[in-house]
Amino acid sequence: MTSDIENLTEKTVNLSTDPIYKTNWCDMPEELKRECIGKMGFDERMLLRLTAKAERSLANSQSLMFHDGSFYIIGNHHYIDLTVDNGNDQRERKAKRNYKNPNDEFELMKYIWGVGVFENFLFFCDDPFFMEEVNYTGKIKAKNVDLVNCENGLLPKILQKMSNGVEAIKLSPDCNNLSEFPLDEILAIPQVQNSLYLQISNYDQADTLQKVAQVWINNNNSKIGFTFQLSTETHKLFNEFSKHFADRIVSESEKRVRIRTNNPDRHILLERGLDNVVTVDYHVQFFRLMVISAKMKESEYDDNCKEWISKMSSIYSFREWDNNRVQNVHVNENPENVANDEHVENREPIPEGIEDDDW
C-alpha cells in the first residue's frame, strides 16, 4: 500500500513538471510555422501577411504552386488572374483582381512572383518602363512563358528575370514597332538558350531564321530537340535561308532544308508548314527550325505539320468550324412545295420562340 502511494506521488510530481504546450500561433517555433504555411492556400497566406511583419516575412519565404498566372498591365488598369494547383490534378481559380492603384498592384505582384512556381506564366504589358517601376529584384520560376504583345523593349527585361528551368517561351512582338524587336538581344539571354522551345508569332524580319540557326551553329553544345517556330507574312524566308547556308546544305526539298553545324553530331532542320490548308500562297507562313542528331534519317521526319502549326495558330480550328457549318446547312431541294406561312422558306423550320434573325 505504501509503495502504491509513493508511485502515485512520483507520477503527480512528474506531471506537474511536464511542459505545457500552448496552441497560440505566436508561441509556435518558426520551423513549425513554415511547415504550416506550406500547407496553406493562397487566401490563407494573404491573410497571414496582414498580421505582422514577421509573419509576412515567413509567408514570403514559402513557395506556392500556380497552374496559371496571368498578368495584364494596360494603361492605368492592372489585372492579375491566378489558378492555384491544389495537387491531384485539382485546380481552382483563386484570384482575379483589378487594381487602379499601382502601389497595391505592385506589392501583390511582387509577392506572387516571389513565391510562385508557375506551370504557365502569361504577361501582357504596354509600358516600356514597367520593370523599373515595379522594381522587382527577385526571379520568376516558370515552366512555360508567354509574353503577349508586350512593348518590345520590355521583353529582354522580363526574360532575364526568369529562373533557370524555363522549357518553353512564346513571344508576340509589338506589331506597331516590329523594326525595334530586339531579336539579337533575346537570343543571347541564357534563359532563352537553355530552354527547349522558342516561338515568335507574326514577325516579318527576313533574316530571323538565319539568326536563330547561327546561334545554334556557334554553340557546339546546342541541345538536340531545341525547337524554334515562327509565323510570318514574309514569303521569302525559306529561300533566303537556303541561300545564306548554301555551303552547309545536307539535303533540300520543297518543304525542308537540312544543314550542318560546327558540331559533327548536330544538324539543323528547317521545315515549312505546307499541306492542303496552308499552301505556298497562303497569306501566313509557318516555319519550324530544330536541332537534330546528324544520324537522324529522313524517314524519321514528322510529316504532320498540322500538329505543330496548331501550337501557333487556330487556323485548323477555324477551317473545321467552317466546314462543319457548311455541312450542317440543309437546303430543301423542292422549295416550291413549302408554304411560306410555315416560316420555312427553303430552310429547316425555325423552332418556336426563336426569331428569324437568330436562326
Side-chain angles (χ1 to χ4, degrees):
M1 182 67 176
T2 303
S3 61
D4 291 339
I5 295 175
E6 290 176 352
N7 290 336
L8 182 59
T9 302
E10 183 179 355
K11 290 181 180 180
T12 303
V13 172
N14 290 337
L15 285 173
S16 64
T17 59
D18 284 343
I20 299 175
Y21 294 97
K22 297 181 179 180
T23 57
N24 292 333
W25 175 266
C26 60
D27 297 315
M28 293 170 57
E30 185 173 303
E31 294 76 11
L32 186 56
K33 286 184 179 181
R34 291 181 186 275
E35 186 174 346
C36 292
I37 294 172
K39 298 181 182 298
M40 291 181 182
F42 178 78
D43 292 340
E44 292 81 5
R45 296 189 191 203
M46 290 297 296
L47 292 173
L48 180 63
R49 295 179 74 249
L50 299 176
T51 58
K53 289 184 178 180
E55 313 314 314
R56 174 186 290 258
S57 178
L58 283 174
N60 290 354
S61 67
Q62 301 300 298
S63 298
L64 182 61
M65 304 297 295
F66 293 101
H67 187 267
D68 301 294
S70 301
F71 305 86
Y72 303 88
I73 291 82
I74 307 171
N76 293 326
H77 296 273
H78 303 155
Y79 304 82
I80 298 176
D81 198 349
L82 305 171
T83 303
V84 180
D85 193 341
N86 294 326
N88 299 322
D89 295 327
Q90 298 296 317
R91 298 164 189 160
E92 187 174 0
R93 192 173 180 180
K94 296 296 293 184
K96 184 176 182 181
R97 305 171 187 271
N98 177 6
Y99 283 91
K100 295 184 180 180
N101 183 342
N103 292 329
D104 291 342
E105 189 269 342
F106 289 169
E107 176 64 24
L108 176 63
M109 184 176 294
K110 288 194 287 186
Y111 164 67
I112 295 172
W113 285 3
V115 302
V117 180
F118 299 93
E119 179 76 14
N120 303 298
F121 178 90
L122 184 145
F123 188 73
F124 179 109
C125 182
D126 59 2
D127 181 358
F129 304 106
F130 176 77
M131 293 307 292
E132 288 80 4
E133 295 170 3
V134 73
N135 192 29
Y136 179 69
T137 58
K139 290 288 187 179
I140 303 171
K141 296 177 284 294
K143 180 179 179 181
N144 305 300
V145 177
D146 192 354
L147 306 184
V148 183
N149 293 332
C150 289
E151 200 282 332
N152 289 329
L154 187 61
L155 294 173
K157 299 174 185 177
I158 291 290
L159 291 172
Q160 289 166 354
K161 286 295 181 182
M162 294 294 159
S163 295
N164 293 328
V166 175
E167 294 185 7
I169 299 172
K170 296 181 180 181
L171 306 177
S172 299
D174 179 1
C175 297
N176 297 321
N177 201 11
L178 287 178
S179 62
E180 296 186 9
F181 181 70
L183 179 61
D184 294 334
E185 186 177 355
I186 288 172
L187 294 177
I189 296 173
Q191 291 89 331
V192 175
Q193 294 184 0
N194 293 330
S195 65
L196 296 174
Y197 178 84
L198 175 63
Q199 171 183 307
I200 301 179
S201 301
N202 306 317
Y203 184 52
D204 297 333
Q205 196 67 26
D207 59 353
T208 303
L209 295 172
Q210 291 103 286
K211 286 187 174 182
V212 176
Q214 194 63 56
V215 170
W216 294 345
I217 290 172
N218 295 338
N219 182 3
N220 288 331
N221 296 317
S222 293
K223 298 177 183 177
I224 292 178
F226 193 124
T227 301
F228 171 71
Q229 292 192 185
L230 173 73
S231 65
T232 178
E233 294 187 2
T234 301
H235 285 230
K236 60 183 180 180
L237 268 67
F238 190 81
N239 293 333
E240 291 294 325
F241 184 90
S242 297
K243 292 178 182 178
H244 186 81
F245 294 112
D247 59 340
R248 291 181 176 270
I249 291 179
V250 176
S251 62
E252 185 176 12
S253 67
E254 181 189 25
K255 296 174 62 174
R256 295 184 177 91
V257 178
R258 181 169 177 168
I259 64 173
R260 294 185 301 272
T261 69
N262 294 336
N263 184 336
D265 296 329
R266 306 279 195 276
H267 282 176
I268 293 174
L269 180 66
L270 171 62
E271 295 182 309
R272 178 162 55 172
L274 294 176
D275 59 14
N276 60 335
V277 175
V278 182
T279 63
V280 174
D281 298 323
Y282 194 74
H283 70 284
V284 179
Q285 296 290 293
F286 301 93
F287 296 95
R288 179 168 71 167
L289 199 64
M290 297 185 295
V291 179
I292 63 173
S293 169
K295 297 180 180 180
M296 186 177 187
K297 300 177 181 179
E298 292 188 12
S299 59
E300 299 178 67
Y301 292 165
D302 178 14
D303 288 323
N304 182 15
C305 65
K306 176 181 177 180
E307 183 175 349
W308 61 264
I309 290 177
S310 295
K311 291 183 178 181
M312 310 186 70
S313 171
S314 54
I315 173 177
Y316 292 100
S317 298
F318 282 125
R319 178 59 63 91
E320 290 171 1
W321 174 85
D322 192 53
N323 289 340
N324 290 335
R325 183 176 63 86
V326 172
Q327 292 172 5
N328 289 331
V329 173
H330 301 286
V331 178
N332 192 312
E333 296 180 355
N334 299 297
E336 66 278 5
N337 296 330
V338 179
N340 287 338
D341 58 2
E342 291 183 4
H343 209 48
V344 177
E345 299 179 359
N346 199 25
R347 296 176 294 178
E348 289 187 341
I350 298 175
E352 294 183 5
I354 298 180
E355 295 296 329
D356 187 33
D357 291 340
D358 295 331
W359 177 244

